[in-house]
Amino acid sequence: MRILHLADTHLGYSAYRKVTEQGVNQREMDVYDAFTQCIDYAIKTKPDLVLHAGDLFDSVRPPNRAITVAVQQILRLSKEKIPFVVISGNHETPKLKETGNIFTIFEHLDQVYPIHNNQYETILLKQKEETVCIHAIPQCQNPDEFDSNLKKISVDKDADYNVLLAHGAVTGIKEFKMNEFNELFIPLKNLSQDFDYIALGHYHMYTKLQGNAFYAGSTEHLSFTEADSQKGWLEIELGKKLKHRFIPLQTRSMIDAPSLDCSSLRIEQIIQKVKEIIHGIEPKDKIIRLRLENIPAHIQRGID
């Protein structure tokens, strides 16, 4: 059985002032493009199942454009009869249950399984004479509720494969937290070897935690802490032995340039050095951060 695992697409995210010719934030469009690349690959390769491990959207109330992109792309999977299971993450889950969840817009789509009701759910699918049980835990309202749902997990011994789908920061190995609001933590003990595969979301860097557990990472760079990381998603083959392959996406380069010490420089010298550094990077179509250190206030005010 072949599964595609992605996470943290953050549709609706935008940053910086650069806009396209149509007047849309460039980074917002970059995020849409990365998600579309994932769907293109799925349509081309026809996996048995696509899993999204949370934070499909960047916010509880995503812009109309983000909703449109999500529906259009997920409909492509639906029309190809490719099952798509998606859990809500901390970014799109409202603080109050009465607010309602954006995932309700997917509930009428064929072959689409949105999990967002703050509780553990299982989905049993049959593909090519094999059955797979998806154990899905979406974002919950608080840590106690999340822990309670983790304790309810029970492997289906009648299924050929059992897959855990969860969104959170695994604790017990190293720090996998994102320091975000409403961040939930998954104890290491819950990454059971009883699962054939564990598909995780929340941590934005592709990471192998153990033989059967992976973070796919985000599909685009969302902060400079991710500047050096390759973005993509995972192709998983379940059988007698689990096989995995990281599929890189074509994304815009993000470069965190070395800082410039301005303590002994005049304003024209600073501007000249900034130009030299940027031209040395070959800046076309890249996102670059250059920090000016120890710059006197009166000089900073005079910089264009």
Side-chain angles (χ1 to χ4, degrees), residues 27-44:
R27 292 301 288 145
E28 181 183 345
M29 295 306 296
D30 290 346
V31 165
Y32 298 150
D33 177 68
F35 181 58
T36 302
Q37 287 183 55
C38 294
I39 304 303
D40 287 345
Y41 184 86
I43 298 297
K44 180 180 178 180

Side-chain angles (χ1 to χ4, degrees), residues 154-293:
S154 178
V155 169
D156 185 345
K157 295 181 180 179
D158 294 326
D160 293 301
Y161 303 107
N162 282 268
V163 175
L164 174 62
L165 181 63
H167 188 91
V170 172
T171 59
I173 307 176
K174 54 166 283 190
E175 289 295 318
F176 289 105
K177 62 183 181 180
M178 296 294 294
N179 295 313
E180 295 176 339
F181 173 77
N182 210 17
E183 188 171 44
L184 297 176
F185 295 90
I186 304 171
L188 179 61
K189 64 182 180 181
N190 289 102
L191 304 188
S192 171
Q193 294 292 344
D194 293 336
F195 289 105
D196 295 282
Y197 184 65
I198 299 174
L200 298 170
H202 183 60
Y203 187 60
H204 286 184
M205 265 71 103
Y206 157 63
T207 306
K208 179 181 178 179
L209 297 176
Q210 59 189 38
N212 67 337
F214 291 79
Y215 279 111
S218 60
T219 51
E220 248 291 0
H221 297 91
L222 303 172
S223 75
F224 274 94
T225 60
E226 306 167 31
D228 296 329
S229 67
Q230 172 68 62
K231 296 303 178 181
W233 58 333
L234 283 161
E235 187 170 44
I236 304 299
E237 187 175 327
L238 300 180
K240 292 182 179 179
K241 184 178 180 181
L242 185 149
K243 297 179 182 178
H244 77 278
R245 183 164 72 96
F246 181 76
I247 305 167
L249 293 168
Q250 296 298 316
T251 58
R252 192 178 302 278
S253 297
M254 179 175 263
I255 298 169
D256 201 2
S259 59
L260 176 62
D261 184 359
C262 303
S263 58
S264 61
L265 298 177
R266 300 189 303 275
I267 188 167
E268 63 271 14
Q269 292 174 313
I270 293 173
I271 293 173
Q272 181 58 36
K273 286 187 177 292
V274 167
K275 289 180 179 180
E276 291 173 358
I277 292 170
I278 292 174
H279 284 302
I281 293 171
E282 298 181 0
K284 183 173 172 56
D285 293 329
K286 297 175 182 176
I287 306 165
I288 303 168
R289 178 169 72 175
L290 173 57
R291 285 170 290 191
L292 305 183
E293 302 280 2

Side-chain angles (χ1 to χ4, degrees), residues 33 54 58 64-65 87 106 114-115 133 151 189 200 211 218 235 262 277:
D33 177 68
D58 190 57
N64 290 340
R65 189 162 38 243
I87 58 174
F106 302 127
I115 310 298
C133 184
K151 291 174 183 177
K189 64 182 180 181
L200 298 170
S218 60
E235 187 170 44
C262 303
I277 292 170

